[in-house]
Amino acid sequence: MMKQLTYVIASLFLFVGVNNINAQASQDCTIKYNLLKGDVKTKKYAEAKKNLHPLMANCPTLSVNIYKYGAIAAEKTKDHALVTKVYETRLANFPNKDAAKAHSDYADYLIKNNLSTDDEIFAILEKAYKISPKDMSVKNIYRYFQGVTDRYKDTDPQRVFNAYDDVMESVEEKLDDYTKKLAPLQAKEEAGTLDAKETRKLKAYTINSKALGKVESGLDNMISEIATCERLIPIYSRDFEANKTDGVWLKRAVSRMYNKGCQTDPLFEKLATAYADVTQSADAYNFLAGVLDKNGDANGAAQMREKAFNLETDPFKKAKLKLIAAQESRDRGRLSKARSLAYEALKYNPNLGKAYLLIGAMYAQSANSCGSDEFEKRMVYVAALNMAYKAQRVDPSSNAGRYIKNYKGNVPSKKLIFTKGVASGSSHKIGCWIGETVRVP
């Protein structure tokens, strides 16, 4: 009995001892973590590294912030080997914690310091892309798609199309998020009620939105080189039977055919009809409305658009549906109707810069028909310029700058204004379908 009691007491002391050791180790880890955090925040990066090494060795799962702070310390001291170790240890211990961003940030560091080949960088970006494209940096979204295009444009164009669709969906998601954040801040800015914190947010959101707009434009330029009607039609004709019940494939095929102006080919109608049958979605019915309109069924097209619009509940998506309808009206020469639809789109998303740009572009293309002399024709560009300025103000991602530059180059010169005998700053009414009053420059 005495022997058993001795074993129990010894086991109890061993248990308490182990717990005390574990508690002490946990306390040491917490202390070192707080020291690491404090050193990084006070920019003592060399000191921070002294606590980083034991943290990664002895308490690697304490917090993902070990690696976030550690990466900063390693990068600031240009310790390339440590940057790699931090990156690899983080992913080993936190594989599901912001992994896409970790890959993207690591790629940025390697690129900045010329530490890897293009193929190695692409492999890292591909890992990020497969996890979450929307968590990649703006530059790396562009880099990744450039890599896909360079590698597969000739051997596997469908892979390039798929990557484009995935990346663009992520870009649009980010843009919509920034638009929602920008709108209330812009309203406060106009009212003069922005505080310092909100001013910083407005600046950051504006910069990021502009960058995403440039990426969107750059991606479009890249895809336009290979996504021609001559290339799309054979590919989609070949793959239709295998994908005729796949809503995602049909949506992407119809959208690409539409964006590239391939609607006149019978395949477009076939794709649009299948898309509507399979998904019965607002987006699908809107494409089908375009088919009906092309076939001369204006009433059927109007009813289908109304059906699509009523099905949609998201105001941003409602705005996009109206904008598509405006573009189609523009393409059919119904400029006044197109403008009305563009303004309807702006009711649902006041920050949809593309709607203002569409109106401005229609004004510009009407310059020769909406003026009887050079002065009057050039005044039409003033109206177009005003629209471009509105787009730039409400939507930093709209790339309105190039439109502004173009329209500015076509407004009346001081000499022409003087010759016409009108005063700068006076009102001028533009005729024909535009019917707007603008100020003489």
Side-chain angles (χ1 to χ4, degrees), residues 144-426:
Y144 173 73
F145 185 68
Q146 180 73 69
V148 173
T149 303
D150 291 344
R151 286 164 175 78
Y152 303 107
K153 63 183 178 182
D154 295 321
T155 58
D156 190 359
Q158 185 61 57
R159 179 165 179 172
V160 180
F161 299 156
N162 291 342
Y164 172 84
D165 290 324
D166 289 340
V167 169
M168 284 300 288
E169 284 170 9
S170 297
V171 169
E172 287 174 5
E173 185 180 337
K174 281 188 172 187
L175 282 173
D176 284 349
D177 183 53
Y178 282 128
T179 298
K180 291 171 184 176
K181 290 176 178 177
L182 278 167
L185 294 174
Q186 289 172 338
K188 280 193 168 188
E189 184 183 39
E190 289 185 10
T193 57
L194 270 184
D195 61 29
K197 184 177 180 180
E198 289 169 332
T199 299
R200 289 193 297 272
K201 284 184 177 180
L202 178 60
K203 182 179 179 181
Y205 296 157
T206 299
I207 290 171
N208 290 337
S209 186
K210 280 183 179 177
L212 282 168
K214 290 179 180 178
V215 166
E216 189 176 38
S217 178
L219 295 178
D220 282 339
N221 290 336
M222 271 192 275
I223 200 72
S224 66
E225 296 178 8
I226 60 173
T228 61
C229 294
E230 292 76 17
R231 181 172 258 170
L232 292 174
I233 292 167
I235 291 175
Y236 292 145
S237 297
R238 179 196 67 195
D239 297 340
F240 177 75
E241 282 301 318
N243 295 281
K244 63 184 180 182
T245 60
D246 184 337
V248 173
W249 184 89
L250 289 166
K251 176 183 179 179
R252 291 179 170 184
V254 172
S255 298
R256 178 152 297 107
M257 291 276 286
Y258 175 83
N259 291 330
K260 296 304 296 182
C262 311
Q263 301 96 310
T264 56
D265 190 272
L267 177 63
F268 181 81
E269 184 170 345
K270 186 178 180 180
L271 290 167
T273 302
Y275 180 34
D277 289 342
V278 170
T279 67
Q280 298 181 21
S281 64
D283 189 48
Y285 288 138
N286 199 57
F287 281 120
L288 200 54
V291 171
L292 292 171
D293 210 351
K294 178 178 73 72
N295 292 339
D297 186 359
N299 289 333
Q303 291 173 10
M304 191 63 71
R305 283 198 181 91
E306 189 67 19
K307 183 178 182 179
F309 189 75
N310 291 335
L311 268 177
E312 189 53 74
T313 56
D314 185 328
F316 275 40
K317 291 180 179 178
K318 279 182 176 288
K320 289 176 182 177
L321 289 177
K322 288 291 184 182
L323 183 60
I324 290 172
Q327 291 165 338
E328 289 178 345
S329 289
R330 183 268 319 272
D331 293 342
R332 289 177 172 78
R334 305 169 192 161
L335 303 186
S336 183
K337 176 65 174 176
R339 177 174 60 183
S340 296
L341 288 165
Y343 277 124
E344 286 181 36
L346 286 162
K347 289 179 183 178
Y348 291 95
N349 179 6
N351 291 72
L352 187 59
K354 289 179 181 178
Y356 284 120
L357 292 179
L358 176 65
I359 297 170
M362 291 191 297
Y363 285 174
Q365 77 180 63
S366 302
N368 287 331
S369 57
C370 288
S372 58
D373 58 25
E374 185 183 359
F375 173 79
E376 291 183 358
K377 291 175 181 179
R378 288 187 175 276
M379 283 302 295
V380 176
Y381 284 100
V382 175
L385 180 61
N386 290 342
M387 290 296 160
Y389 277 133
K390 286 182 179 180
Q392 185 181 60
R393 184 167 62 252
V394 303
D395 185 0
S397 73
S398 64
N399 288 314
R402 59 192 179 98
Y403 293 90
I404 290 171
K405 183 178 180 180
N406 180 25
Y407 300 152
K408 265 187 173 181
N410 285 286
V411 301
S413 64
K414 290 182 179 180
K415 181 179 179 181
L416 182 59
I417 293 169
F418 177 78
T419 304
K420 183 68 176 178
V422 295
S424 179
S426 61

Side-chain angles (χ1 to χ4, degrees), residues 39-98:
D39 285 336
V40 170
K41 288 196 169 184
T42 55
K43 300 182 179 180
K44 298 175 183 176
Y45 303 119
E47 290 295 313
K49 288 163 61 175
K50 294 177 182 178
N51 290 300
L52 173 60
H53 289 287
L55 281 168
M56 288 195 295
N58 303 321
C59 12
T61 60
L62 177 67
S63 170
V64 72
N65 289 332
I66 290 173
Y67 306 100
K68 291 181 179 180
Y69 290 125
I72 295 171
E75 289 177 12
K76 291 295 185 180
T77 55
K78 294 193 179 299
D79 191 334
H80 303 323
L82 182 57
V83 172
T84 299
K85 185 177 180 180
V86 169
Y87 164 72
E88 292 174 347
T89 310
R90 170 183 174 164
L91 290 171
N93 289 282
F94 294 94
N96 301 314
K97 193 76 172 179
D98 299 327

